Amino acid sequence: MKRLELQLMGFPEFRLDGRTVELALRKAAALLIYLAEVGGPVAREVAATLLWPETDEEAARARLRRTLYKIRIAFGSEVIAAAGASLSLNPALSVEADSRVFEHACNVGPLDAAADIYRGDYLAGFSLPDCPEIEEWIFFRREALRSRLVQALERLIEAKIADGEPRSAVVHATRLAGLDPLSESAHRHLIRAHLAAGDRAAAERQGETCIRLLREELGIAPDPTTLAMLREPTRDATLDLPRTRYVEVGGIHIAYQIVGSGPTDIVLVPGFISHVERIWEDRSCRAWISAVSRLGRLILFDRRGMGLSDRVGARPTVEATAQDILAVMNAAGSRRALLIGASEGGPGCIRFAVDHPDRLIGLVLWGSLAKGSRAPDYPFALTVAQYDLWKQRLLAGWGGPAEIQTFAPSLAADRQAETWWAGLLRAASSPGAVAGLLEALRDADVRHLLTNVSARTMILHRSGDRAVRVEAGRFLAAKIPGARFIEVDGDDHWFWVGDQQPLLNSISAFARRG
């Protein structure tokens, strides 16, 4: 069996049985890469449209035939199988793309191998400016893989320090800081690695670099946690944070943390974005988590495909979220818990409440909804077309504080909050990876489950919420038997922004009644 190798991390290279093959035509290279990444048949008309979008159908098909011929001549072999109306890589070939090998190493290890495979950004220096759909696909794929590298490096740094290899941790942390020089979290990783290696002078220099970059580029001051690491070198500031653990669900690893030790277990299911470690970097969010953890033993987690949990190839469903909740509760030794579903996390909590009523003390839904898009009998959500436009706007702003004015209008001019939110987005996911999640949320609909919820339920919603209209909360309360609806003043969607006390008081009273 012949072996086809594709080096896609960096500028693309191709080898057949160890022999380097030069593809002078970029569209020929793009076609081969696309087929390898899709991993299945692609319709001829789709391939032709992607590569020659401005050409009429007949001319595009003719150019596709010529491109296939040139690929065959370059390789001296039929590497692409043309079966009727579709194209795919020849099934008789053994195909290996380093991008796929990298992802596998990120999922199952070793992480050192994943870091070594990432020799450069995906298809760096390769572009097809006259093929906008291909360009967009490459961009999303590049961002997804870069996000995986950041995640792998963060885990490697922690592992190397824990294993007594601080010099290796410094190497990985230096690379991490180079990927995103404006990420305070990356600088903090490097400071910690230097301190672990006993090089206080290097840690102080890195601290000065971090402070200067944040001041000059973003106009903000560093977080007190960063300064504390330098003031108290014998004390590892990051150890104040709970340890991130993992539980496996059907081959997918879910990241979770346990905070506090109260008698009541509280499980918090996040909205569409989460990162169990980066959430601690915002002072308001940290204060909120700490306050909730004083009400009981708080269990935080990242849903599959998000944050520190494994990426998945399929769109996450409400059923998958319910499975993740169950797995995390079992791993944490939680028999029954108060379940808090925030925003888009609510539908998965509703599914769990119907499937596992015996595992709940109660259900709290904050700023949540039963359906992701508008219907004739559900008029207080965006239409599918409006939602898709909003998604495009969100993805276009990814890497910056995208849509913070929607989620937290009171923070829209707060540079510190904007910087944190931008960093959280980059760490939690990538534009390409989150696009599928957003589509799944758009299509989610648990209205048919609401009357089957038997757990005590409380609905909390801010009256001026710009992300999820208050009518969506009222709808939940009207349909869930015996649900209590509490409307809170304010426009912010995030529960840790604005007046937190009414929310904490309501959750505390609700937990005590359980």
Side-chain angles (χ1 to χ4, degrees):
M1 177 180 286
K2 291 187 176 183
R3 179 178 178 81
L4 174 63
E5 297 173 83
L6 298 90
Q7 179 183 305
L8 307 179
M9 309 306 290
F11 194 81
E13 294 181 12
F14 311 98
R15 285 181 291 275
L16 185 65
D17 285 343
R19 174 178 64 88
T20 298
V21 177
E22 298 290 343
L23 279 179
L25 290 177
R26 290 206 171 193
K27 291 190 178 181
L31 177 60
L32 194 63
I33 293 166
Y34 188 76
L35 292 175
E37 291 281 42
V38 170
V42 173
R44 281 177 177 267
E45 61 184 38
V46 170
T49 301
L50 285 173
L51 294 171
W52 296 278
E54 302 299 327
T55 307
D56 66 75
E57 183 178 345
E58 184 176 345
R61 281 179 169 272
R63 292 184 181 184
L64 177 61
R65 287 193 296 271
R66 288 195 294 271
T67 300
L68 291 171
Y69 172 75
K70 291 178 180 179
I71 292 173
R72 183 167 65 250
I73 294 300
F75 281 89
S77 178
E78 292 282 3
V79 294
I80 295 180
S86 66
L87 304 172
S88 63
L89 291 185
N90 191 330
L93 290 173
S94 169
V95 181
E96 180 179 282
D98 60 352
S99 55
R100 298 285 187 179
V101 178
F102 168 74
E103 288 181 307
H104 181 75
C106 286
N107 289 335
V108 302
L111 290 175
D112 292 272
D116 290 341
I117 293 167
Y118 201 106
R119 292 177 289 269
D121 284 339
Y122 183 74
L123 299 183
F126 182 86
S127 64
L128 291 171
D130 60 337
C131 302
E133 287 194 50
I134 287 286
E135 283 282 278
E136 182 180 42
W137 174 76
I138 291 173
F139 169 78
F140 283 154
R141 183 77 172 126
R142 181 180 295 141
E143 290 298 308
L145 292 170
R146 191 179 174 90
S147 174
R148 297 303 304 273
L149 176 64
V150 169
Q151 184 187 65
L153 290 174
E154 288 177 336
R155 290 167 63 185
L156 266 174
I157 294 162
E158 296 296 324
K160 295 299 182 183
I161 292 176
D163 292 343
E165 301 178 45
R167 295 295 178 187
S168 294
V170 169
V171 172
H172 294 305
T174 300
R175 187 178 182 186
L176 179 65
L179 287 171
D180 191 355
L182 297 182
S183 168
E184 187 174 357
S185 174
H187 287 285
R188 195 151 51 226
H189 275 296
L190 184 50
I191 291 169
R192 184 184 177 217
H194 281 310
L195 290 174
D199 193 343
R200 176 163 176 76
E204 290 179 343
R205 287 195 298 273
Q206 192 60 39
E208 291 169 359
T209 298
C210 174
I211 292 169
R212 176 177 54 78
L213 285 171
L214 294 178
R215 181 182 64 248
E216 294 178 357
E217 300 294 331
L218 301 175
I220 62 174
D223 188 275
T225 306
T226 305
L227 300 176
M229 295 177 72
L230 296 168
R231 284 197 305 268
E232 305 174 57
T234 59
R235 173 175 168 268
D236 188 344
T238 61
L239 292 181
D240 287 341
L241 303 183
R243 180 167 69 92
T244 299
R245 312 160 192 249
Y246 286 87
V247 58
E248 186 176 343
V249 189
I252 299 170
H253 297 85
I254 305 299
Y256 71 99
Q257 293 181 349
I258 299 173
V259 192
S261 57
T264 301
D265 283 346
I266 302 172
V267 178
L268 179 60
V269 182
F272 82 102
I273 285 292
S274 71
H275 191 294
V276 291
E277 294 182 357
R278 292 293 183 96
I279 55 175
W280 292 93
E281 295 174 7
D282 178 75
R283 277 166 276 188
S284 296
C285 193
R286 187 165 62 236
W288 163 263
I289 295 170
S290 298
V292 175
S293 70
R294 289 191 288 271
L295 304 179
R297 189 177 70 135
L298 178 61
I299 302 169
L300 308 167
F301 74 98
D302 291 330
R303 289 185 291 177
R304 62 186 69 190
M306 183 55 57
L308 289 176
S309 293
D310 284 347
R311 300 299 185 258
V312 292
R315 299 195 323 179
T317 62
V318 292
E319 290 77 16
T321 299
Q323 291 172 13
D324 294 347
I325 295 170
L326 181 63
V328 168
M329 285 182 64
N330 289 341
S334 176
R335 180 68 190 86
R336 296 177 73 234
L338 175 64
L339 188 60
I340 302 178
S343 191
E344 297 90 355
C349 291
I350 291 166
R351 177 79 264 178
F352 183 88
V354 172
D355 292 345
H356 306 282
D358 57 316
R359 302 296 296 269
L360 291 187
I361 294 170
L363 174 64
V364 176
L365 298 174
W366 161 254
S368 194
L369 68 173
K371 190 177 186 305
S373 57
R374 185 176 300 181
D377 56 346
Y378 196 83
F380 26 80
L382 298 177
T383 65
V384 169
Q386 289 170 334
Y387 186 100
D388 289 345
L389 286 173
W390 173 80
K391 182 189 74 173
Q392 290 175 18
R393 192 171 71 231
L394 176 70
L395 298 183
W398 208 266
E403 291 299 297
I404 192 172
Q405 68 276 11
T406 298
F407 300 117
S410 67
L411 297 181
D414 187 323
R415 294 296 299 276
Q416 196 93 33
E418 288 182 337
T419 301
W420 170 78
W421 175 237
L424 180 69
L425 289 177
R426 293 192 299 271
S429 188
S430 64
V434 84
L437 170 64
L438 291 171
E439 289 165 6
L441 295 173
R442 176 199 64 199
D443 299 337
D445 186 357
V446 294
R447 290 176 298 169
H448 61 291
L449 298 176
L450 299 181
T451 57
N452 296 326
V453 175
S454 58
R456 292 185 313 118
T457 303
M458 178 172 66
I459 314 294
L460 294 165
H461 217 110
R462 285 202 173 107
S463 56
D465 191 328
R466 297 186 185 180
V468 180
R469 287 170 53 181
V470 69
E471 290 87 352
R474 292 173 184 153
F475 180 90
L476 289 170
K479 298 295 183 180
I480 296 176
R484 183 185 178 196
F485 180 72
I486 298 178
E487 187 171 330
V488 183
D489 289 337
D491 299 333
D492 295 304
H493 182 61
W494 294 339
F495 39 60
W496 64 90
V497 179
D499 190 358
Q500 301 177 10
Q501 204 55 50
L503 312 181
L504 290 169
N505 292 343
S506 297
I507 294 171
S508 176
F510 190 73
R512 287 197 304 271
R513 287 199 299 272

